[in-house]
Amino acid sequence: MSEEKLMSKKKPAYPIIPALDAYLDKYNRKIEIPIFYEDLLRFAGSVVVYDQKGEDSLWVRVFYSDSERKEIDFSLKRVYSILHSDGSDRIFQYLNVDAVDYCTFGNSKPFRIKVRNILNDNFTYFYVKRTDASRIYGLELEHMLSPYNLNFLVYKDTLIEEHIAGIPGDTFIKEMLPECTEGQKAQLAKEFVKFNERCMIRLLGDMRSYNYVIVPVHDFDHVVYRIRAIDFDQQCFEGKLKVYRPQFFKENNIMVGLVKNKLLSDSVDQYKVEERSIVAKRILSSGQRIRRMVQIAKTDAISLPENIERLKSEIFELTKDVHFKKCETMGDILELALDFVKRNYENVSMRQIIEKRIEL
């Protein structure tokens, strides 16, 4: 299926409603910052940023007038301190803002800020974006339901996100996958199955290969790979269920091929069950936090009516759970999807306990 038919042409940005704003405040996601996204748009010029092969990276490096550069540098150092430290200015003397890059590709059009420690040349990135409610829900769900914690801040119309380190999926598939051992390819196939399942469960869409990263992890005498989402714009928006399953994007065909070549169908089913169980455990352990967020999402307009109608119909066809037919918002669908996974896990666990007691 072509990308044009699978994805909508453009997703609108949705405002943060008061209930979500209060939620962000309660969980320390909302904090006053000294610079806004709109401030960074006042650049005086830009040059194209090329990658190591001399190809256009789709980022441009922006420059500011002398009258604004000093204030912007100071403000960005302050943001770095708030995001990664205690917010004080005592570390400013050791920091340098090496680059401010602007991405002209995609919905969010983020700024990427490179901050370097001048004492040892270590550097890191963070991103400045326009606030979008669906992106906020995506970040929060990733924080609670994936193996990874996320650090981000929201202030009015500006979102600050920490950098997620890893090798871009498209780069890895093209340049590094061919050099992997057969064992590593099998392990990557397993991770892709789990990643595919996790995205579908929490309704995270558009996981084309350039919207996730591959993270190599050294474990004793070998390397294992993890897959992390890095783009959360398409949380709970699209109406086609296939959009929430990375396997259906042509950019992931090679990864799908790995799964077919390296894993038996029984193994694929096993890894799906493992991932559902892990997500269910995270739902249970997250307690009131995820329930509060989902309740807010149920009252929030983060998609189009026709998308809601289509998605609830397609999920019903998959699960045969009639409750999906009654959903009125994307938040309703998300709540039922998470509850479906949790209930199945709890029912299986209870059945195992009962069977164990019978054996005893």
Side-chain angles (χ1 to χ4, degrees), residues 30 41 58 67 118 126 197 211 256 268 282 291 301 339 352:
K30 179 183 174 184
L41 287 174
L58 302 178
S67 60
I118 62 176
F126 66 86
E197 193 71 10
N211 286 332
V256 174
V268 172
R282 293 191 182 113
R291 283 193 286 271
D339 189 57
Q352 290 173 339

Side-chain angles (χ1 to χ4, degrees), residues 153-164:
L153 303 171
V154 180
Y155 183 56
K156 295 184 179 179
D157 295 329
T158 298
L159 169 66
I160 308 294
E161 287 183 33
E162 70 176 350
H163 175 65
I164 297 174

Side-chain angles (χ1 to χ4, degrees), residues 22 25 37 50 55 71 80 89 115 129 147-148 150 159 227 237 258 299 322 331 341:
D25 192 28
Y37 178 90
Y50 295 98
E55 298 177 355
E71 180 182 351
Y80 174 91
D89 58 3
V115 179
K129 302 179 179 181
Y148 316 102
L150 282 182
L159 169 66
I227 302 178
F237 174 74
L258 277 186
T299 68
V322 295
V341 171

Side-chain angles (χ1 to χ4, degrees), residues 10-13 37 41 59 102-111 127-132 135 157 159 161 211 230-234:
K10 187 173 178 62
K11 183 190 82 69
Y37 178 90
L41 287 174
W59 291 83
Y102 178 60
C103 183
T104 57
F105 176 74
N107 283 333
S108 60
K109 291 183 169 55
F111 284 92
Y127 298 85
V128 182
K129 302 179 179 181
R130 283 193 179 97
T131 303
D132 176 16
R135 190 178 302 131
D157 295 329
L159 169 66
E161 287 183 33
N211 286 332
I230 59 172
D231 191 319
F232 305 95
D233 291 352
Q234 292 289 340

